[in-house]
Amino acid sequence: MNSKAERLRDAGTDQWPTNGHTDKDRETTPSKAQMDFPQCINCCLCCVASRVGRDIPDLANKLEQLRSNVNSRKTKNVDILVLSAELCRKMCGGRLTSCKSAKDRTSMSVTLDMCTILMKEHNLPPAIFDQALDTIRCQGTRLLNAEKNVGEKKFAFNALQVKALPKSYRPPEGTYRALQS
């Protein structure tokens, strides 16, 4: 898969290998539940490449990273969420993020995703990523969403919960307190 895809990409052609997976015969393609993981990856890559012309080796690499993170024993592995979000964007897919009340943890995830998009697609310098993330969390619309839910511009986290969150999901000081959701 790798060498043919690279040759096609380097030649500047839009003809990507589809392994027979065209729009007309999608109905005959086995469902992803019926495939093993490598078959599923190959099918996904071929369908995506034939539709949006993305870089197959990069997608394969990201999918392998995702598989590795899913199979790791790491607790609170935020990389799974970050990689799956990136893959969805690259494959023109849709996704949603929602915790139980759809405000606090969801807000942390959505704002992290917003800053990641700013950095990767709009040239936000990595050196100010954390500052931009804190600014969005302090002044952005997610805090207004929390206010509409609990009557206060605060995320509903107590100090222990904040310490238990992965670093990239922690709200800035002054934007949270123990509240009833």
Side-chain angles (χ1 to χ4, degrees), residues 44-83:
C44 289
L45 292 176
C46 291
C47 289
V48 168
S50 67
R51 289 181 176 185
V52 294
R54 299 290 185 189
D55 188 345
I56 289 177
D58 184 48
L59 288 173
N61 181 39
K62 294 289 183 200
L63 281 167
E64 181 56 34
Q65 288 176 28
L66 179 60
R67 185 188 65 74
S68 176
N69 276 284
V70 167
N71 292 333
S72 76
R73 297 215 181 266
K74 184 177 176 184
T75 59
K76 296 185 183 180
N77 192 345
V78 178
D79 293 335
I80 293 170
L81 300 173
V82 172
L83 283 166

Side-chain angles (χ1 to χ4, degrees), residues 12-164:
T13 181
D14 289 333
Q15 291 182 322
W16 288 90
T18 61
N19 292 349
H21 300 292
T22 63
D23 285 336
K24 290 179 183 175
D25 65 5
R26 284 182 66 213
E27 296 83 35
T28 62
T29 303
S31 74
K32 289 176 183 63
Q34 296 169 323
M35 299 179 195
D36 63 19
F37 193 73
Q39 287 175 321
C40 184
I41 288 175
N42 191 40
C43 180
C44 289
L45 292 176
C46 291
C47 289
V48 168
S50 67
R51 289 181 176 185
V52 294
R54 299 290 185 189
D55 188 345
I56 289 177
D58 184 48
L59 288 173
N61 181 39
K62 294 289 183 200
L63 281 167
E64 181 56 34
Q65 288 176 28
L66 179 60
R67 185 188 65 74
S68 176
N69 276 284
V70 167
N71 292 333
S72 76
R73 297 215 181 266
K74 184 177 176 184
T75 59
K76 296 185 183 180
N77 192 345
V78 178
D79 293 335
I80 293 170
L81 300 173
V82 172
L83 283 166
S84 60
E86 186 176 348
L87 278 163
C88 281
R89 273 192 305 280
K90 285 183 179 234
M91 295 190 287
C92 300
R95 70 176 185 91
L96 65 98
T97 301
S98 184
C99 62
K100 188 171 94 174
S101 65
K103 60 180 180 50
D104 303 310
R105 287 170 188 82
T106 300
S107 294
M108 298 304 107
S109 179
V110 168
T111 53
L112 178 62
D113 199 35
M114 290 167 68
C115 276
T116 301
I117 291 169
L118 285 172
M119 185 175 70
K120 293 189 178 206
E121 298 178 21
H122 300 284
N123 302 316
L124 175 75
I128 63 166
F129 181 89
D130 290 337
Q131 179 184 350
L133 185 59
D134 283 351
T135 300
I136 290 172
R137 289 176 176 170
C138 288
Q139 300 174 10
T141 58
R142 300 306 301 186
L143 210 50
L144 296 173
N145 185 39
E147 181 182 30
K148 288 178 182 181
N149 279 282
V150 295
E152 212 175 318
K153 280 189 179 180
K154 301 280 184 190
F155 297 113
F157 294 113
N158 63 39
L160 184 60
Q161 288 173 314
V162 171
K163 287 179 184 174

